[in-house]
Amino acid sequence: MKRSSSVIRRVILAAAAVALAAGCTPDAVGTGTGTAPAPTSAAPSAAPTTDDKPPSPSASATSPSATPSTGKPTSKPLMDDGDENEQVRELQARLRQLDFFDRAPTGFYGTMTAASVRKLQARRGLPETGTVDATTWQQLLSVTRKPTADELKPSTTNKLDTPDPRCMTGRVLCISKESRTLAWMIDGKVVSSMDVRFGSENTPTREGLFKVEWKAKDWTSTIYHTPMPYAMFFSRGQAVHYSADFAARGYAGASHGCVNVRDRVKLSALFDQVKVGDKVVVHW
C-alpha cells in the first residue's frame, strides 16, 4: 500500500506540473477546475473607426466638418479696431478727403475711425461693419487720390478752412475762427499752420483786417500778469502768442481776447519770419 500511495503521489505531482505549464492558476490545480486566463488585449481590428482615436491633424484640416459654418468670412479684415500702422494713417487721410474723418490722421484705428468707415460703407452701399475688408479698401481707393505728405502728417490737428479772399495776396497771418487754425500764407500759399483758440464770450477776439503793429519775444500781460511768449500784437493789446494753458488744457479754456497758440516750437519759427506790417486777417 505504501508503494501504491507513493505512485499515486508522483502521478498527482506530474499532473500539477503539466497544469502549470498550460497556464492554470494554483487554485485551479488544487481543485482540478482551472482554465486558461483571458487574453490581456484584444487583437487589433483591421480598420479602426474614428471613435477609436482622434482624427489626425491633416484629416482635421481637410475635413468639411473641421471648420464651423458661421455664415461669415473667416479671413481677417485688412484693418480693424486696435490696429496701428501707416496703412491706417493712409485710410484716415483718404477718409478725410471725403469729409468722413474730421481730424489729423493718427495711424490708430479706434472708434472714430470705425464710425468714419461706416459712413463710407453706407455711401457706397456696402455692409456697414466698421472694419476695412478688401472691397471697402478698393472702393475708397477708387474715389480718393494718394494722400500728400502733409495730408498724412498735417501740421494742425484741425483741418484748415478755406482761406478768406483777403488772405490770398501778400504776407498774411490768416486766422479762421471756424476751423480754429492759423495759416501763415505768402502770395496765396500756405507756408505753415497751427491750432489756435480765441477769447471767451466776455472777451472776444476781434475780427477783421489788421496788421502786425509790434512784436515781443518775451512779454507778460500788464493787465492779467500772465506770460505771452512770442507775442505779435495786431489790435489794441490783442496778439498772437504762445499759451501754456492752451497746451495743457486745449479747448477747455479760452483767452482774454488774444489768439492762443499751443505749439511753442512752431510759433517760435513763425515769430522769426513775421515782420511788423504784415497783414492779419481774423475771419469766420
Side-chain angles (χ1 to χ4, degrees):
M1 290 296 294
K2 287 182 180 182
R3 180 179 179 85
S4 298
S5 298
S6 177
V7 171
I8 293 170
R9 195 173 196 177
R10 284 198 297 273
V11 171
I12 291 173
L13 289 173
V18 172
L20 284 172
C24 297
T25 63
D27 286 342
V29 174
T31 60
T33 59
T35 57
T40 56
S41 60
S45 62
T49 66
T50 54
D51 291 332
D52 295 328
K53 61 180 180 178
S56 65
S58 59
S60 175
T62 57
S63 172
S65 62
T67 303
S69 177
T70 61
K72 298 180 181 179
T74 57
S75 59
K76 185 182 183 300
L78 296 179
M79 287 168 272
D80 200 353
D81 188 47
D83 290 346
E84 187 170 11
N85 52 53
E86 290 306 303
Q87 189 178 26
V88 173
R89 186 183 298 278
E90 181 180 349
L91 165 72
Q92 294 166 333
R94 287 179 180 273
L95 289 169
R96 197 176 187 189
Q97 291 176 11
L98 302 174
D99 292 327
F100 290 152
F101 193 75
D102 63 356
R103 62 190 55 208
T106 62
F108 177 76
Y109 202 117
T111 55
M112 294 188 66
T113 303
S116 299
V117 169
R118 288 190 190 94
K119 290 179 184 178
L120 169 70
Q121 291 169 331
R123 177 72 63 86
R124 306 298 295 179
L126 302 173
E128 297 174 36
T129 62
T131 62
V132 179
D133 58 8
T135 301
T136 300
W137 182 239
Q138 289 302 320
Q139 288 283 320
L140 180 60
L141 293 181
S142 70
V143 293
T144 57
R145 53 177 168 71
K146 183 178 179 180
T148 64
D150 190 61
E151 286 177 318
L152 290 170
K153 296 183 179 179
S155 51
T156 60
T157 300
N158 302 317
K159 186 177 180 180
L160 286 175
D161 197 6
T162 301
D164 185 281
R166 294 168 291 181
C167 299
M168 300 307 293
T169 58
R171 298 161 56 88
V172 193
L173 292 173
C174 192
I175 302 167
S176 170
K177 285 189 170 182
E178 179 70 25
S179 63
R180 298 186 291 189
T181 56
L182 180 157
W184 169 233
M185 301 180 65
I186 299 178
D187 296 330
K189 295 183 179 180
V190 177
V191 178
S192 65
S193 57
M194 54 205 73
D195 297 328
V196 294
R197 74 176 183 183
F198 305 98
S200 65
E201 265 186 40
N202 298 324
T203 56
T205 302
R206 288 183 281 274
E207 300 154 27
L209 174 62
F210 311 94
K211 66 179 181 180
V212 177
E213 297 170 350
W214 59 286
K215 299 166 55 180
K217 186 174 182 179
D218 296 300
W219 186 259
T220 300
S221 170
T222 57
I223 301 174
Y224 302 106
H225 310 292
T226 54
M228 299 170 57
Y230 304 106
M232 293 176 280
F233 290 88
F234 62 87
S235 176
R236 303 192 313 274
Q238 292 192 353
V240 175
H241 68 84
Y242 169 73
S243 168
D245 182 74
F246 183 27
R249 297 199 299 144
Y251 293 104
S255 75
H256 293 101
C258 288
V259 177
N260 289 167
V261 178
R262 62 177 162 191
D263 192 320
R264 188 182 185 114
V265 174
K266 281 186 181 179
L267 186 59
S268 171
L270 177 61
F271 183 87
D272 292 338
Q273 297 174 51
V274 173
K275 301 175 182 178
V276 171
D278 285 342
K279 284 195 296 185
V280 178
V281 176
V282 181
H283 68 95
W284 278 100

